[in-house]
Structures are given as C-alpha cells and as structure tokens.
Amino acid sequence: MHTLKHTKWAIFLGLAPALIIYICIAIFPIGLSVYYSLMNWDGITPMRFIGLDNFVDIFKDDIFWLSVKNNIIIMFTGIAGQIPLGLLLALLLNRGLKGSSFFRTIGFLPVVISSVMVSLIWGMVYNTEYGMLNNLLGVLGLESWQQNWLGDPFWSMISISIAYIWQNCGLYMIILLAALQNIPDEVNEAAALDGATGLSRIMRITIPMIRGTLLVSVVYSISNSFRVFDLIQIMTGGGPAHATEVMTVYMYNNSFMNMRFGYGSAVSVLILLFSLIVITIVNRLAREKE
Amino acid sequence: MKTSKKLRTMLLTGTAALLLMSTVACGSGEKDAAEPEKVTLNIMHPWTSPNVDNEVYKERIAEFEKQHPDIIIKQDGVAATEYKTKLRTLAAANNLSDINVVWPGADLAPLVAGDLLMPLDDLMDNWKDILPEDALSGFNQKGSQFAVPTKQTFVDIIYYNKEMFAGVGYDQFPATYDEFIDAVKKLKEAGITPISLGNKEKWPLQSSFLSIIGDRYVGSDFLQKILNKEAKFTDPEYVKAIAVIDELSKLGAFNTDANNMDSVQGQDYFIQGKAAMHISSSTVDGRIRINNEEGDKFGIALFPSVPGGSGDPVKSAGVVQYGISIKKGLSDEKKAAAEEFIKFFVNEDLYKDLISKGVVVPANVEIPEDASPYLKEMLELTNKGTAPVFDSVIPTQVTDVMQNGLQALTIGRGTPEELAQEVQEAFDSMK
C-alpha cells in the first residue's frame, strides 16, 4: 500500500495511453451513436432531432423482432455448442496425447482464419448442387436428407449456428485448456487417491475448479453472439426473406443500404443494451449460486 | 519475478515498436509535402470485374495519364456489389473522391440533396452533338446536370437456350404470357430448370424482373405516379405484376438455390446449360454470347405481353449507367484537372470503343461495320422504347422492402397482396 500511494501518478500515467485509446475508439463512438439514435439522418442532409421516434419505429417493426429471435438462437446454440465442445476438446488435449500441440493448432485454426474464409468454406459445404454435405449424403444413400441448407427458412438458421460453433469452439478450447493446466497437480492426485476417476472426477473436481473460467467463457460467448455479423452477411446476407437476419445485419442494412443512420444507430444502442442485460442476468445467476 | 521481467521486456519492445511506427509516419508525412506540385485526382469506380466494358474504362484512364503527365490519377476500384454502399458511406462522411461514378435517379438524388456534386452545366456543350436529351435526363436534377453517362444498360434481357426451347416445341421465344407459362411448365416436365436466378444480392428479382413485368401491366409512367402519390403499389393491376413472381416460384421455375447464388453464379448456371433462361442486363451478353464460343446457342428476347396489360410490350427496361461526376468544392487546380479528365474520358472514342466490344451506349455515334452481330441484334431488340427500372425511380429504402418481399415469395412466404401493402406502407412512412 505504502509504495502504491507514492506512485499513483505513475500508475495513472501508465494507464493513460490505453485509457485515451479506449475512450477515443470505444466510449466516444458509443456516446455519438446514442446521440445519432435520436436523429432522423440520411447521412447527407442535415439531421433532425426526432426524440425517441426511431426506437418506437424499431419496436413496431416485425423484422427487428425476428432478428432479435435469431440473435437469441445464435446465443443459445453458441453457448450450448461452443463451450461443451471446447471443454471436451480441452479435456482430450490435456491428457497429454501424442501430437497434442498439433491438434491444439488444428483446433484453434478456425479462430485464426478470417470470418470471410470461414463463411465461404461453409457456403461451399452447404451448397445445394455441388456442396460437400449434400454430396456426402448422396454417397451414403441418404438423398432424402439432402436439403437446401442455406435457402430453406427452417434449416438456414441451424446451418449458420453449426458454422458459428465450428468457427469459435477452438477459442474456448484454448481458454479452458489454460484453465485446466492451472489446476494444481495436488488436487488431481488427491482426487485420484480418493478414487474419483473418469466422469465423476470431471464433474466434481475439474469443472468446479475451472468454474470461474467457464463463467467468463459464457459471458464472452454471449457478447460474441450479439456481434456476429460477417459470417451471416456473407453466407446468406440475412436472407432468404430475413430468415437469418440478426440485429447487426438489420442495423447494417438500415444504415448503409437504406441510408437511415439515425435508425441504425438506435439499433446499435439496443444491441448494446440487450447484451448488457443478458450479461448482467448471467452474472447475477452465477453469483447467487456461489 | 521471472514473469514480471518477461513482461517488462515485452512492454519495452512494444513501446519501442510504437515509437518507431510514429517516427516512420512522421517521416512519410514530410516527404509528401516536399514533392513538386503535381495534381492528384482520386477516382472511385466499380470497374473491378473482368467485364469487357471495364477494360475499356481502365484503358481510357491509362491513356489519360499518358497524355497528362502532370496529373496523377489515383484509382479506388470497388467491387460492383459493394460500390453503392461505399459511395453512400463516403458521401455521409463528406469524404467523396474527386471523381465518382454515380447512378441516375433515386441513387443520385441524395448526393444532389446533400450538395456534394459539382453541376456540369458549363461543360455540357462538349457533348451536345453526341448525347441526346433522354440520355442525360437521369443525371439532371433541379435543372442542373450532375454527371455524364458512359453506357446504357437494359436490365431485362431474357437470354434463352434455343435448343431447350425447341425441345419443348418453341422455335420462337413465346410472345404471350400464357405461352411463356406453358413453356415454363413444359421445360419443368422435361427436367430442365426453366429460369436460372442468382438472387442472393436480392436486386435481380426487383431490377431485372419486376421493372419490366410491372411495365407490361401498368405502363411506363406508373412508378412516377406512385412518387407523385397518384397511384399505389396496391393497385390491383400492379399486384398482378408482383403475382408473376409468385406464380413462377410456385411453378418451380427457378433453381432451388436461387437465393444463395449471386448474380454471376446465376449467369454461369445458364451458360453451363443447366437452365433454359436467364434474365439479366444487356452487358452480360459479353459473357453469354459475344465472348463465348458457343454463343450462338443462345437467343435474346423481351418479356412477353401480358393479358390486359396497358404497357407497350416492345419496351425494354433500361437505365443510363456509370455517370461520371465531379465532387463539389475542389481547389481550382483540381477542378481544372477534373474537368480535363471528364472531357477526355467521356468522348466519342470511349463510346466507339465500348460499341466495338458489344456494349450498348447512350450516345448517337455511328455503329462500326465490324460491330458484333450480337450487338446489332441487341440494339434492334432494345430500340423500341425504354421503360424505367424500379430502383432508379423508387427510393432505396422502399426498394429494399420490395426486394426482400420478392425473395420471400420465392420461398413461399407472404402473398403478393400483402407485399404490395407492405411496400406501400414503407413508402407512406418515409420521412
């Protein structure tokens, strides 16, 4: 404490660059968005203050609620798919299998390649005519299972969720692997001595030990799911008929395609609000359990 | 301790890198200022794909640079599908290039409203002999001319596979809507995809289909009447036009993955002989016939007449395209250079080059003897009157509702009546 007192300014100075950058590229634009969200503005002619009209219009728009629904689907499938899968892969890699560093790289690769590539790859996998998935089903004699994966309103959201899970589960694999490796050997040894093996050790020892990291992963997965854009924009563009439109795509279409920057800003403010609400709820629930 | 030392090294390296970067940045800044005064013009254009006309434009720019060593042209080529979005975004940020390629009508309106483009009225004498009034009118707003067009695009050309049509008993392209539907049904029965459609970008059904189908039913002044609030999208005759898309979808006339293919993939599908028809712009003829060894397999036609339609069935929906415009508020030297550029770029030679490559132009220039016979056929087909293109008249945000609605019809969602209602509401609620 004593040393800290004297270096307060030094600490502030150290933080200042990061703080300034953060304010400039995050806080300030968010404030600006809130300001624009109260305006009727096509980006070119002078803007006009219209109060909360944008928000009223958004709430009245069915397509917006459809995009919210799709965001929720992405969020739940994301949490339910990415984290368990990530954990499973992390547990496998943590066993010290032969070539684990190779598999670690493979598992992490989808996170590193650009979303555009991921979208194009999955677009090809799902393609109706020459796509890998339909061909595979054909070879297996399951022609009746073949679908227009991205064009069918029922399947399109599921197809996108799968691509989204594939893209991101490597990230959680790495995060959880780091957490697993931080579990002290003593704990594992003690558990082994007490006869906890296999599944029961994972459920009773491993998972409680990495609970904090799991929670962070869930929060991260939620905030990620609200930001998903490029994957959907490239694979389907929000189509067919808004079936795969999420809030970010809705925002993009309104601001950049329809030139309604005020309206688009209002949507972005709502995205921020929604993700804050969901994350607060998750944090509350987690704390109550503790 | 060990980690903190590592951290310190990392931080130090990071800071050093940052410092280095900023010095480098400073250095380059000074260099720029020291350059002798050459005028640099920025031009943003959508001529990135390997279309025949794009090559012509780029050659023209290169030629200009050769003849004007004191003017440097900096090109910002943006893929055509992204171009309009980037143009609007830059316009919003008041950050347009010195020279921009613009679209007429509803696309140009916000740029003019925002006072971002320089009126070209003083320069227009330059083209008075070759450009007719109706070629210029799309870029004329508030009584001033804001751009000079380079090419004319007809968006509704039906390319059809002659063999496939002959196979179902049509040696000629169907002349009436009933025959057209009959052909679609027969093609379908024969196991052929009747129409290849790449509608992922959503505009094809609106631009290439609805523009002309609407015109067949309600005539060429209808869209303007809507803008003047003298007509509505919900008028029963117009709903019939929308219903054509619904009918074609229900007949299974389009390829199943129509909404996942982009427009170029849609063309490929047709060129590869997987479908009997493709409806697209006249420019695409370069790919389908002019530069295709097997081009004579394909014929061109216009959408047939419809029962009870009040439109003229020989008209084709067209729009002048790629208007060259100059940004407002340039410095005197830049302005002079930009004017020099536009005069050089858009002249008789450009139009002649384009024609010789098979591209339709809006100018009165003689068609050279060696022009492609396909081009002559195209000119023949499209010179009997021009109908407006939907999105060049109707404001973007209303067009968006229409496009999405048409896409919905192809997957069996909604009805033509509901869609007409929605589009009308979107139009009425515009502020």
Side-chain angles (χ1 to χ4, degrees), chain A residues 40 43-45 57 127-130 148 150-151 153 234-235 237 239-242 252 256-261, chain B residues 85 88-89 91-92 110-111 113-114 116 200 202 256-257 259-260 265 269 274 396-397 400 404 407-408 411 413 431:
Chain A
N40 180 21
I44 294 173
T45 47
D57 286 352
N127 187 292
T128 330
E129 298 210 0
Y130 58 81
N148 181 5
L150 290 173
I234 295 166
M235 285 211 310
H242 303 291
Y252 175 84
F256 295 103
M257 308 301 276
N258 297 349
M259 303 283 281
R260 299 167 76 190
F261 287 95
Chain B
T85 312
R88 286 184 210 126
T89 312
L111 302 177
L116 298 171
K200 184 176 171 183
K202 296 174 194 155
T256 46
D257 48 359
N259 291 319
N260 307 116
Q265 287 170 315
Y269 198 87
K274 292 182 184 167
T396 322
Q397 61 196 76
D400 184 61
N404 275 299
Q407 197 179 48
I411 55 165
R413 294 229 168 143
K431 285 169 198 150

Side-chain angles (χ1 to χ4, degrees), chain B residues 251-266:
Chain B
L251 287 173
F254 305 118
N255 41 311
T256 46
D257 48 359
N259 291 319
N260 307 116
M261 293 206 306
D262 61 32
S263 45
V264 178
Q265 287 170 315

Side-chain angles (χ1 to χ4, degrees), chain A residues 44-175:
Chain A
I44 294 173
T45 47
M47 42 180 139
R48 205 154 44 80
F49 180 79
I50 51 164
L52 294 174
D53 279 11
N54 280 331
F55 292 94
V56 175
D57 286 352
I58 292 171
F59 287 135
K60 277 199 234 156
D61 189 356
D62 293 340
I63 297 160
F64 173 73
W65 291 111
L66 186 68
S67 72
V68 173
K69 191 192 92 188
N70 285 334
N71 258 122
I72 292 172
I73 293 176
I74 286 275
M75 183 178 85
F76 278 112
T77 52
I79 296 175
Q82 288 162 359
I83 293 174
L85 208 61
L87 182 61
L88 192 73
L89 292 172
L91 285 168
L92 280 174
L93 287 176
N94 199 32
R95 298 207 137 184
L97 297 173
K98 222 176 181 183
S100 68
S101 72
F102 172 73
F103 288 114
R104 197 167 56 210
T105 312
I106 294 281
F108 196 62
L109 210 56
V111 187
V112 187
I113 26 181
S114 99
S115 291
V116 180
M117 294 305 292
V118 173
S119 318
L120 292 176
I121 292 169
W122 279 93
M124 286 184 218
V125 170
Y126 287 137
N127 187 292
T128 330
E129 298 210 0
Y130 58 81
M132 194 183 88
L133 189 56
N134 274 353
N135 271 331
L136 202 68
L137 290 172
V139 169
L140 295 175
L142 295 169
E143 277 91 355
S144 58
W145 288 19
Q146 287 176 345
Q147 295 290 342
N148 181 5
W149 298 105
L150 290 173
D152 184 285
F154 175 76
W155 285 104
S156 55
M157 212 51 221
I158 297 172
S159 308
I160 284 180
S161 292
I162 290 170
Y164 178 65
I165 291 168
W166 180 86
Q167 184 190 18
N168 285 303
C169 75
L171 179 67
Y172 301 100
M173 177 193 85
I174 293 289
I175 294 175

